[in-house]
């Protein structure tokens, strides 16, 4: 898969309209096979987009997606969202309030939950019902 991109000052979240480059701790992105991309101010908006592709990008299919990246909470590096652990219900907030906190390593998940509470979810477990609890 393609390497993650660095958002430009012009890149806006297609869900909330915020400029994404200033939210370096939470930047999330979807890279399409045609070379285009969209960036988000956090994983919550990425999932809103991904789970409602027909609303936000009616001309796109899930099969058009080449890679999905989120920012690891500890390393602040982009990680593969499909392999990441996500913590919901912690005391850590993102740019839009309650957020899914991405972590790459299983060991980091335990440490994070000890420090900040919450529950672990994997990519495929995140659905609209989960997102509704974050609003």
């Amino acid at each position: 898969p393609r390497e993650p991109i660095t958002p430009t000052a012009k890149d806006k979240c297609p869900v909330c309209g915020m400029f994404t480059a200033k939210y370096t701790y939470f930047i999330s992105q979807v890279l399409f096979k045609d070379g285009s991309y969209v960036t988000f101010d956090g994983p919550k908006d990425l999932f809103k987009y991904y789970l409602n592709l027909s609303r936000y990008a009616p001309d796109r299919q899930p099969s058009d997606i080449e890679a999905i990246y989120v920012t690891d909470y500890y390393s602040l590096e982009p990680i593969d969202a499909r392999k990441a652990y996500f913590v919901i219900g912690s005391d850590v907030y993102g740019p839009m309030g309650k957020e899914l906190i991405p972590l790459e390593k299983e060991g980091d998940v335990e440490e994070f939950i000890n420090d900040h509470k919450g529950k672990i979810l994997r990519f495929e477990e995140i659905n609209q019902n989960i997102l509704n609890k974050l609003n």
Side-chain angles (χ1 to χ4, degrees), residues 97-115:
K98 292 180 185 173
E99 187 57 90
L100 294 154
I101 306 300
L103 298 157
E104 184 173 32
K105 299 184 184 101
E106 198 168 358
D108 287 348
V109 174
E110 283 179 43
E111 181 183 335
F112 182 88
I113 288 177
N114 284 338
D115 293 344

Side-chain angles (χ1 to χ4, degrees), residues 109-127:
V109 174
E110 283 179 43
E111 181 183 335
F112 182 88
I113 288 177
N114 284 338
D115 293 344
H116 303 287
K117 304 177 191 45
K119 177 184 158 201
I120 306 167
L121 294 172
R122 298 309 299 259
F123 185 88
E124 54 282 346
E125 295 177 291
I126 298 167
N127 57 36

Side-chain angles (χ1 to χ4, degrees), residues 5 10 20 53 59 66 70 72 91-92 101 116 123-124:
I5 56 97
K10 292 184 180 140
T20 57
L53 211 52
D59 54 333
E66 181 174 350
V70 290
D72 178 77
D91 60 9
V92 174
I101 306 300
H116 303 287
F123 185 88
E124 54 282 346

